[in-house]
Amino acid sequence: MKIIVANWKMNGDIDLCDKIINSLKSAIYPESIIICPPSPLLFMFREVKFKYGAQNCSTNLKGAFTGEISPSLLKSIGCSYVIIGHSERRNLFCESNDYIFQKFKLILELDLIPIVCIGEKINERSYYKEVLEEQLKYFIKHGDLNKVIFAYEPVWSIGTGIIPNLDDILEVTSFIKMQTQSKVLYGGSVNKKNATEILNIASIDGALVGGASLDPNEFYEIIKISEKIK
Ligand code: PEP
């Protein structure tokens, strides 16, 4: 089964947690489902069979960093994963590759699994390899990436309903896999209509789902599709 990560962004509430927990009770491979709600909702998932993770974390373990969330606190409440480098964090909060790498090291030291988002902007498409190489270079230098998950998210596809053609997804994710030897997800406008064709791309280990993960019925359908794919 492929890995399916739900990124709720700054959406969702206790009611949505209840609905998702309920709809995923019959999931065949709960270990392959990772729900990433806003951090105050993480406690809702403590008793579930599937995995859960945070959408971000601090570059520090503790101290005078008002508003930040320590990765060790995330670990203590049962998170297994932390998304880092999402394009919204890079673009809206000016997070640099170096800053993202500081989080990456802490996450690995704590034995959590980073889900590292990378991807080119629309004007960078013609030289995407250079862009991705630049985003990847710190992680590759670090070495052992076998536990790490990369999510290829072309920025122009996030929340737009537009996806790259399937051959392009195959080409880019194969490139990332070759560079990192890690699991690679695709993210950007995945929904129940395109999930089958996307998840069947050979180089993809799963999907990172934003908007469609906020609708319990639609998300459940994506999970059912992923359960059928080896
Ligand atoms: C995302 O934000 O990581 C994402 C993939 O969003 P969407 O599925 O809504 O494009």
Side-chain angles (χ1 to χ4, degrees):
M1 138 110 190
K2 305 264 172 165
I3 299 165
I4 305 291
V5 181
N7 175 16
W8 289 8
K9 313 193 187 199
M10 202 174 71
N11 299 298
D13 52 18
I14 288 179
D15 185 47
L16 181 62
C17 295
D18 286 336
K19 286 185 174 137
I20 291 282
I21 291 169
N22 211 28
S23 74
L24 296 181
K25 274 197 179 122
S26 61
I28 302 173
Y29 307 108
E31 299 270 314
S32 301
I33 303 171
I34 305 159
I35 306 290
C36 301
S39 290
L41 293 174
L42 285 166
F43 76 97
M44 291 289 293
F45 296 95
R46 292 188 78 173
E47 310 276 297
V48 299
K49 289 210 182 96
F50 49 84
K51 301 287 180 188
Y52 53 99
Q55 300 171 16
N56 183 30
C57 70
S58 173
T59 52
N60 293 280
L61 289 178
K62 62 176 185 172
F65 301 102
T66 303
E68 289 290 273
I69 297 180
S70 167
S72 59
L73 180 60
L74 295 171
K75 183 172 167 126
S76 74
I77 60 162
C79 280
S80 316
Y81 296 85
V82 186
I83 296 174
I84 51 173
H86 192 282
S87 61
E88 286 150 17
R89 299 238 38 110
R90 291 176 189 267
N91 299 327
L92 302 173
F93 301 96
C94 305
E95 291 195 5
S96 65
N97 287 320
D98 181 44
Y99 188 63
I100 295 161
F101 184 61
Q102 304 309 314
K103 301 181 191 202
F104 174 87
K105 284 189 295 187
L106 266 191
I107 291 167
L108 282 182
E109 273 165 33
L110 290 165
D111 226 6
L112 293 165
I113 300 176
I115 300 171
V116 184
C117 300
I118 56 171
E120 80 286 358
K121 295 183 181 151
I122 189 84
N123 58 321
E124 297 169 335
R125 283 196 79 184
S126 59
Y127 57 99
Y128 78 85
K129 280 193 181 162
E130 280 100 307
V131 174
L132 296 181
E133 269 166 357
E134 181 62 26
Q135 292 176 341
L136 283 171
K137 78 174 181 215
Y138 287 88
F139 308 109
I140 290 170
K141 252 193 244 154
H142 179 267
D144 189 14
L145 297 177
N146 78 54
K147 262 182 57 185
V148 178
I149 297 176
F150 287 91
Y152 169 56
E153 299 208 298
V155 179
W156 47 275
S157 175
I158 295 179
T160 60
I162 303 166
I163 60 167
N165 72 49
L166 302 181
D167 288 342
D168 288 349
I169 298 179
L170 174 71
E171 181 185 317
V172 181
T173 51
S174 301
F175 171 75
I176 297 167
K177 243 185 151 64
M178 207 179 63
Q179 300 276 319
T180 63
Q181 309 296 316
S182 300
K183 290 206 165 76
V184 179
L185 313 179
Y186 168 77
S189 297
V190 175
N191 57 39
K192 65 180 179 191
K193 291 200 187 107
N194 60 27
T196 304
E197 56 183 15
I198 290 175
L199 290 171
N200 269 304
I201 296 172
S203 52
I204 279 183
D205 298 288
L208 202 165
V209 185
S213 70
L214 295 169
D215 174 340
N217 295 329
E218 172 137 22
F219 189 63
Y220 180 72
E221 288 197 41
I222 295 171
I223 296 295
K224 289 284 130 199
I225 290 168
S226 70
E227 283 172 351
K228 292 189 200 126
I229 300 172
K230 290 260 159 56

